[in-house]
Amino acid sequence: MIEDTATRPLLGPPPVRHWPALDIAGTEFDPVLAELMREGPVSRVQLPHGEGWAWLVTRYDDVKAVTNDPRFTRAPVVDRQVTRLAPHFKPKRGSLAFADQPEHNRLRSAVAPAFTLRGVELLRSRAQDTLNEMVDELLADGPPADLTARILEPFPIAVVSEVMGVPAADRERMSAWTRQIVSSSGGAEASARAKDGMYGWFAEAIRSRYGSTEEDVISLLGAAVGRGDISEEEAIGLVGPLQIGGEAVTANTGQMLFLLLTRPGLLERLRAEPDVRPRAIDELLRYIPHRTAVGLARIAQEDVEIHGVRISAGDAVYVSYLAANRDPEVFPDPERIDFDRTPNPHVAFGHGPHYCMGGLLARMQTELLIDTLVDRLPGLRLAVPPQEVPWRRSTLIRGPEALPVAW
């Protein structure tokens, strides 16, 4: 917990632990993160790239406190080579991910209409139709099939592209750029080329929609730039991460289905008890190791004490939502998947001002995918032994590279 530094003696800093980029197959929890959690609530880590070390906060209450505390800010990270997982670091100025208040609210308001509960629910019927068409084709072709290639990748691309306003003819190119950006395997040059291609495309699209009254994201941004509410640079910085968000749905649902297919009792319960599915999705979101290591750092703007450890002004600080979701003080028996867990206040979509803007959209897509695949593919099973399912390597977002199934 965050305390007044005068209330208790300060402890010495913990040792700096090297945290390598692990390629973990399956849904195993990162063993280095598990060790750090056992060692204490506040650690110091050095990731494979960048400079120096950073603090790591893992307890649920502390993660929520740091992410909602204006003394820990994102904007200064843009100008620093904070120790990090990715070999390349080229943030776009104006990016919502690196904005602090009040700039964060100003930027977020430009695209918020596309991500309201009402807006997402209006999209649900069209998204279901799109998914039904994909499943119809899958059934017509028959088993076996790669569920990732046939459903889990193209469906989120189609949905997020509709929300963004990306024409169908450009969606495959957008998907290729996205895959390269979230992978670290191609190095800095390949990632930079992909970012330049994506952001160049968005720049032209935004310029073409000044004065638009449509409610897709590109039109909203074009209109906002046209009114002078935000700059073109800010609009481009906003749009890329929103487009990339569809990749997370592919990886997350891939992990969920792998878990269900390797624990048939869980899958059978979803078939037999449809009413349990909303709780089940929350529990799966809590449980899956969504990403490799940690995401974006924050910088302390003044000295802050957490659990007797002084974090000095200027220090980099990471939080781990994965660790927070396994905190036994909040989630009893956290290693067990419990569809009856209630309450389940997981932080899979983040917390505080940087709570995932696309969280409602991601949740809606996840619900449609789980419901449709469970109901329409009776006898769904892996077509290969679990150990032969290939997993993404050298990537920031964890998930199966392919999911071979039969039914």
Side-chain angles (χ1 to χ4, degrees), residues 354-398:
H354 287 282
Y355 181 88
C356 178
M357 172 166 277
L360 289 173
L361 181 66
R363 174 64 190 244
M364 182 268 283
Q365 293 175 81
T366 302
E367 290 171 354
L368 294 182
L369 282 165
I370 296 298
D371 281 344
T372 304
L373 294 174
V374 167
D375 290 339
R376 295 196 61 191
L377 297 178
L380 183 64
R381 61 191 182 278
L382 287 177
V384 298
Q387 63 271 22
E388 293 183 16
V389 172
W391 288 76
R392 298 177 179 208
R393 301 180 63 84
S394 301
T395 186
L396 308 181
I397 302 175
R398 285 178 61 179

Side-chain angles (χ1 to χ4, degrees), residues 44-127:
R44 291 196 297 168
V45 296
Q46 182 183 56
L47 293 155
H49 303 283
E51 300 172 359
W53 54 267
W55 297 100
L56 173 68
V57 175
T58 56
R59 300 281 173 85
Y60 182 88
D61 288 343
D62 301 328
V63 166
K64 291 183 70 175
V66 167
T67 54
N68 212 32
D69 189 329
R71 293 176 295 178
F72 297 97
T73 62
R74 283 267 184 86
V77 177
V78 173
D79 298 312
R80 291 181 51 174
Q81 290 296 318
V82 174
T83 184
R84 63 184 187 272
L85 180 67
H88 39 78
F89 184 65
K90 190 181 177 183
K92 280 286 183 185
R93 294 190 180 276
S95 170
L96 193 65
F98 293 98
D100 296 317
Q101 302 294 24
E103 291 299 287
H104 185 271
N105 278 349
R106 179 178 65 85
L107 295 173
R108 192 167 179 132
S109 65
V111 293
F115 297 98
T116 62
L117 179 60
R118 175 182 174 274
V120 169
E121 286 304 312
L122 286 174
L123 179 63
R124 183 182 289 266
S125 177
R126 297 199 302 279

Side-chain angles (χ1 to χ4, degrees), residues 34-254:
E35 288 180 15
L36 291 166
M37 292 168 64
R38 287 193 294 268
E39 290 173 5
V42 185
S43 309
R44 291 196 297 168
V45 296
Q46 182 183 56
L47 293 155
H49 303 283
E51 300 172 359
W53 54 267
W55 297 100
L56 173 68
V57 175
T58 56
R59 300 281 173 85
Y60 182 88
D61 288 343
D62 301 328
V63 166
K64 291 183 70 175
V66 167
T67 54
N68 212 32
D69 189 329
R71 293 176 295 178
F72 297 97
T73 62
R74 283 267 184 86
V77 177
V78 173
D79 298 312
R80 291 181 51 174
Q81 290 296 318
V82 174
T83 184
R84 63 184 187 272
L85 180 67
H88 39 78
F89 184 65
K90 190 181 177 183
K92 280 286 183 185
R93 294 190 180 276
S95 170
L96 193 65
F98 293 98
D100 296 317
Q101 302 294 24
E103 291 299 287
H104 185 271
N105 278 349
R106 179 178 65 85
L107 295 173
R108 192 167 179 132
S109 65
V111 293
F115 297 98
T116 62
L117 179 60
R118 175 182 174 274
V120 169
E121 286 304 312
L122 286 174
L123 179 63
R124 183 182 289 266
S125 177
R126 297 199 302 279
Q128 181 70 73
D129 290 343
T130 298
L131 181 55
N132 286 341
E133 291 176 7
M134 292 180 179
V135 175
D136 288 344
E137 293 176 3
L138 182 75
L139 292 171
D141 292 341
D146 175 4
L147 207 55
T148 299
R150 296 295 301 269
I151 305 291
L152 303 184
E153 189 170 75
F155 175 65
I157 290 171
V159 173
V160 77
S161 293
E162 179 170 349
V163 172
M164 298 298 292
V166 176
D170 291 310
R171 290 177 183 177
E172 182 51 43
R173 180 165 46 158
M174 196 65 68
S175 176
W177 285 328
T178 297
R179 287 192 296 270
Q180 188 59 64
I181 290 169
V182 302
S183 171
S184 59
S185 61
E189 290 185 6
S191 176
R193 285 195 300 272
K195 285 185 177 180
D196 288 344
M198 176 181 283
Y199 288 124
W201 187 95
F202 278 128
E204 292 183 11
I206 288 167
R207 288 176 198 139
S208 73
R209 302 191 197 183
Y210 291 175
S212 175
T213 58
E214 300 298 317
E215 291 199 346
D216 61 83
V217 169
I218 298 173
S219 296
L220 288 169
L221 289 172
V225 174
R227 293 191 304 268
D229 294 345
I230 62 174
S231 68
E232 182 179 291
E233 183 181 45
E234 289 171 332
I236 296 170
L238 270 166
V239 75
L242 294 174
Q243 177 69 39
I244 291 169
E247 187 75 5
V249 175
T250 297
N252 285 354
T253 54

